């Protein structure tokens, strides 16, 4: 078996805990990855999460500390939206692959600028979560757009 992908989770709010739990479950079910670190400014929240899953990992109080530690290959960024670009950029520059919970930056112009920067300097380094793209109402809206019945 190949070496498991070392994954960190940055931010343990509601969605961060869900992503952390998914990594933990995959770690046990497939051995293809392992939860190796958490970046969370609330130490109590990090401790509670680790108690819930029964797995201890290093906890870093900042993205900068996590990026310098070299304990992960990829990070799930689930911090507040206004921090997504900054946090993702730090991690990508440190050689991480990054999975960002939507939205990317919070503005269309910011999304375009950051996507262009990533394409230019760090291609294939970031993936944006959007799990609702398969929901029936969104699929219907997509068909309406493709058929020219509604705008972009």
């Amino acid at each position: 078996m190949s070496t498991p992908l070392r994954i960190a989770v940055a931010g343990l709010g509601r969605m961060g805990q869900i992503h952390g739990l998914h990594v933990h479950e995959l770690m046990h079910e497939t051995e293809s990855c392992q939860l190796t670190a958490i970046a969370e400014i609330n130490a109590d929240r990090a401790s509670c999460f680790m108690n819930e899953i029964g797995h201890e990992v290093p906890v870093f109080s900042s993205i900068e500390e996590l990026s310098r530690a070299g304990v992960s290959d990829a990070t799930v960024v689930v911090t507040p939206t206004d921090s997504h670009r900054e946090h993702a950029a730090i991690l990508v520059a440190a050689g991480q692959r990054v999975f960002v919970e939507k939205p990317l930056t919070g503005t269309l112009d910011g999304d375009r600028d950051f996507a262009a920067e990533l394409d230019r300097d760090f291609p294939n380094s970031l993936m944006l979560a959007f799990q609702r793209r398969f929901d029936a109402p969104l699929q219907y809206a997509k068909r309406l757009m493709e058929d020219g019945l509604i705008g972009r």
Side-chain angles (χ1 to χ4, degrees), residues 135-150:
D135 287 357
L138 291 176
Q139 290 292 308
Y140 178 67
K142 183 177 184 230
R143 281 194 306 279
L144 292 175
M145 285 178 10
E146 290 168 347
D147 293 343
L149 298 172
I150 61 174

mmCIF file of all heavy atoms in Angstrom, residues 135-150:
data_model
loop_
_atom_site.group_PDB
_atom_site.id
_atom_site.type_symbol
_atom_site.label_atom_id
_atom_site.label_comp_id
_atom_site.label_asym_id
_atom_site.label_seq_id
_atom_site.Cartn_x
_atom_site.Cartn_y
_atom_site.Cartn_z
ATOM 1 N N ASP A 135 -27.490 18.643 -6.278
ATOM 2 C CA ASP A 135 -28.869 18.724 -5.811
ATOM 3 C C ASP A 135 -29.800 18.981 -6.992
ATOM 4 O O ASP A 135 -29.477 19.749 -7.912
ATOM 5 C CB ASP A 135 -29.041 19.845 -4.787
ATOM 6 C CG ASP A 135 -28.428 19.515 -3.442
ATOM 7 O OD1 ASP A 135 -27.905 18.398 -3.275
ATOM 8 O OD2 ASP A 135 -28.465 20.388 -2.554
ATOM 9 N N ALA A 136 -30.970 18.365 -6.958
ATOM 10 C CA ALA A 136 -31.926 18.467 -8.067
ATOM 11 C C ALA A 136 -32.274 19.915 -8.433
ATOM 12 O O ALA A 136 -32.273 20.264 -9.625
ATOM 13 C CB ALA A 136 -33.184 17.667 -7.742
ATOM 14 N N PRO A 137 -32.567 20.819 -7.472
ATOM 15 C CA PRO A 137 -32.893 22.192 -7.869
ATOM 16 C C PRO A 137 -31.735 22.899 -8.591
ATOM 17 O O PRO A 137 -31.967 23.645 -9.544
ATOM 18 C CB PRO A 137 -33.207 22.886 -6.539
ATOM 19 C CG PRO A 137 -33.619 21.787 -5.627
ATOM 20 C CD PRO A 137 -32.782 20.606 -6.034
ATOM 21 N N LEU A 138 -30.510 22.637 -8.173
ATOM 22 C CA LEU A 138 -29.382 23.261 -8.849
ATOM 23 C C LEU A 138 -29.142 22.648 -10.221
ATOM 24 O O LEU A 138 -28.774 23.345 -11.170
ATOM 25 C CB LEU A 138 -28.125 23.169 -7.984
ATOM 26 C CG LEU A 138 -28.167 24.028 -6.718
ATOM 27 C CD1 LEU A 138 -26.929 23.810 -5.879
ATOM 28 C CD2 LEU A 138 -28.328 25.495 -7.064
ATOM 29 N N GLN A 139 -29.360 21.355 -10.356
ATOM 30 C CA GLN A 139 -29.254 20.718 -11.664
ATOM 31 C C GLN A 139 -30.316 21.281 -12.622
ATOM 32 O O GLN A 139 -30.033 21.512 -13.794
ATOM 33 C CB GLN A 139 -29.407 19.200 -11.524
ATOM 34 C CG GLN A 139 -28.236 18.534 -10.845
ATOM 35 C CD GLN A 139 -26.990 18.606 -11.716
ATOM 36 O OE1 GLN A 139 -27.014 18.235 -12.883
ATOM 37 N NE2 GLN A 139 -25.912 19.113 -11.152
ATOM 38 N N TYR A 140 -31.503 21.520 -12.094
ATOM 39 C CA TYR A 140 -32.577 22.102 -12.902
ATOM 40 C C TYR A 140 -32.195 23.516 -13.351
ATOM 41 O O TYR A 140 -32.346 23.867 -14.528
ATOM 42 C CB TYR A 140 -33.884 22.111 -12.112
ATOM 43 C CG TYR A 140 -35.044 22.743 -12.835
ATOM 44 C CD1 TYR A 140 -35.586 22.148 -13.972
ATOM 45 C CD2 TYR A 140 -35.591 23.932 -12.380
ATOM 46 C CE1 TYR A 140 -36.651 22.734 -14.658
ATOM 47 C CE2 TYR A 140 -36.657 24.522 -13.048
ATOM 48 C CZ TYR A 140 -37.171 23.926 -14.184
ATOM 49 O OH TYR A 140 -38.220 24.509 -14.857
ATOM 50 N N ALA A 141 -31.694 24.326 -12.437
ATOM 51 C CA ALA A 141 -31.269 25.682 -12.783
ATOM 52 C C ALA A 141 -30.159 25.650 -13.836
ATOM 53 O O ALA A 141 -30.147 26.472 -14.764
ATOM 54 C CB ALA A 141 -30.802 26.425 -11.536
ATOM 55 N N LYS A 142 -29.253 24.708 -13.711
ATOM 56 C CA LYS A 142 -28.171 24.568 -14.692
ATOM 57 C C LYS A 142 -28.749 24.264 -16.085
ATOM 58 O O LYS A 142 -28.303 24.833 -17.087
ATOM 59 C CB LYS A 142 -27.201 23.480 -14.260
ATOM 60 C CG LYS A 142 -26.026 23.333 -15.194
ATOM 61 C CD LYS A 142 -25.053 22.297 -14.683
ATOM 62 C CE LYS A 142 -23.848 22.266 -15.599
ATOM 63 N NZ LYS A 142 -23.492 20.964 -16.043
ATOM 64 N N ARG A 143 -29.721 23.373 -16.140
ATOM 65 C CA ARG A 143 -30.349 23.053 -17.431
ATOM 66 C C ARG A 143 -31.033 24.290 -18.022
ATOM 67 O O ARG A 143 -30.950 24.538 -19.227
ATOM 68 C CB ARG A 143 -31.347 21.914 -17.275
ATOM 69 C CG ARG A 143 -30.705 20.541 -17.216
ATOM 70 C CD ARG A 143 -31.703 19.404 -17.395
ATOM 71 N NE ARG A 143 -32.834 19.445 -16.482
ATOM 72 C CZ ARG A 143 -32.815 19.011 -15.215
ATOM 73 N NH1 ARG A 143 -31.716 18.515 -14.703
ATOM 74 N NH2 ARG A 143 -33.899 19.076 -14.471
ATOM 75 N N LEU A 144 -31.707 25.068 -17.164
ATOM 76 C CA LEU A 144 -32.352 26.296 -17.644
ATOM 77 C C LEU A 144 -31.323 27.272 -18.210
ATOM 78 O O LEU A 144 -31.563 27.903 -19.247
ATOM 79 C CB LEU A 144 -33.151 26.954 -16.521
ATOM 80 C CG LEU A 144 -34.394 26.212 -16.034
ATOM 81 C CD1 LEU A 144 -34.999 26.928 -14.838
ATOM 82 C CD2 LEU A 144 -35.414 26.065 -17.155
ATOM 83 N N MET A 145 -30.184 27.383 -17.539
ATOM 84 C CA MET A 145 -29.112 28.257 -18.038
ATOM 85 C C MET A 145 -28.586 27.744 -19.373
ATOM 86 O O MET A 145 -28.420 28.518 -20.328
ATOM 87 C CB MET A 145 -27.961 28.338 -17.036
ATOM 88 C CG MET A 145 -28.266 29.189 -15.842
ATOM 89 S SD MET A 145 -26.960 29.291 -14.576
ATOM 90 C CE MET A 145 -25.543 28.546 -15.282
ATOM 91 N N GLU A 146 -28.318 26.461 -19.454
ATOM 92 C CA GLU A 146 -27.781 25.865 -20.685
ATOM 93 C C GLU A 146 -28.754 26.015 -21.852
ATOM 94 O O GLU A 146 -28.338 26.170 -23.003
ATOM 95 C CB GLU A 146 -27.437 24.400 -20.456
ATOM 96 C CG GLU A 146 -26.231 24.204 -19.551
ATOM 97 C CD GLU A 146 -26.047 22.767 -19.083
ATOM 98 O OE1 GLU A 146 -26.968 21.933 -19.240
ATOM 99 O OE2 GLU A 146 -24.959 22.485 -18.543
ATOM 100 N N ASP A 147 -30.044 25.987 -21.555
ATOM 101 C CA ASP A 147 -31.054 26.131 -22.592
ATOM 102 C C ASP A 147 -31.326 27.596 -22.937
ATOM 103 O O ASP A 147 -32.172 27.890 -23.799
ATOM 104 C CB ASP A 147 -32.371 25.458 -22.155
ATOM 105 C CG ASP A 147 -32.238 23.945 -22.063
ATOM 106 O OD1 ASP A 147 -31.263 23.381 -22.624
ATOM 107 O OD2 ASP A 147 -33.113 23.329 -21.417
ATOM 108 N N GLY A 148 -30.668 28.516 -22.226
ATOM 109 C CA GLY A 148 -30.828 29.940 -22.504
ATOM 110 C C GLY A 148 -32.105 30.543 -21.962
ATOM 111 O O GLY A 148 -32.480 31.643 -22.324
ATOM 112 N N LEU A 149 -32.777 29.821 -21.063
ATOM 113 C CA LEU A 149 -34.041 30.319 -20.511
ATOM 114 C C LEU A 149 -33.846 31.293 -19.346
ATOM 115 O O LEU A 149 -34.738 32.081 -19.050
ATOM 116 C CB LEU A 149 -34.913 29.151 -20.077
ATOM 117 C CG LEU A 149 -35.312 28.205 -21.220
ATOM 118 C CD1 LEU A 149 -36.005 26.967 -20.681
ATOM 119 C CD2 LEU A 149 -36.212 28.950 -22.206
ATOM 120 N N ILE A 150 -32.697 31.220 -18.707
ATOM 121 C CA ILE A 150 -32.351 32.173 -17.644
ATOM 122 C C ILE A 150 -30.924 32.633 -17.889
ATOM 123 O O ILE A 150 -30.173 32.003 -18.651
ATOM 124 C CB ILE A 150 -32.516 31.590 -16.219
ATOM 125 C CG1 ILE A 150 -31.602 30.373 -16.012
ATOM 126 C CG2 ILE A 150 -33.968 31.220 -15.967
ATOM 127 C CD1 ILE A 150 -31.622 29.848 -14.580
#
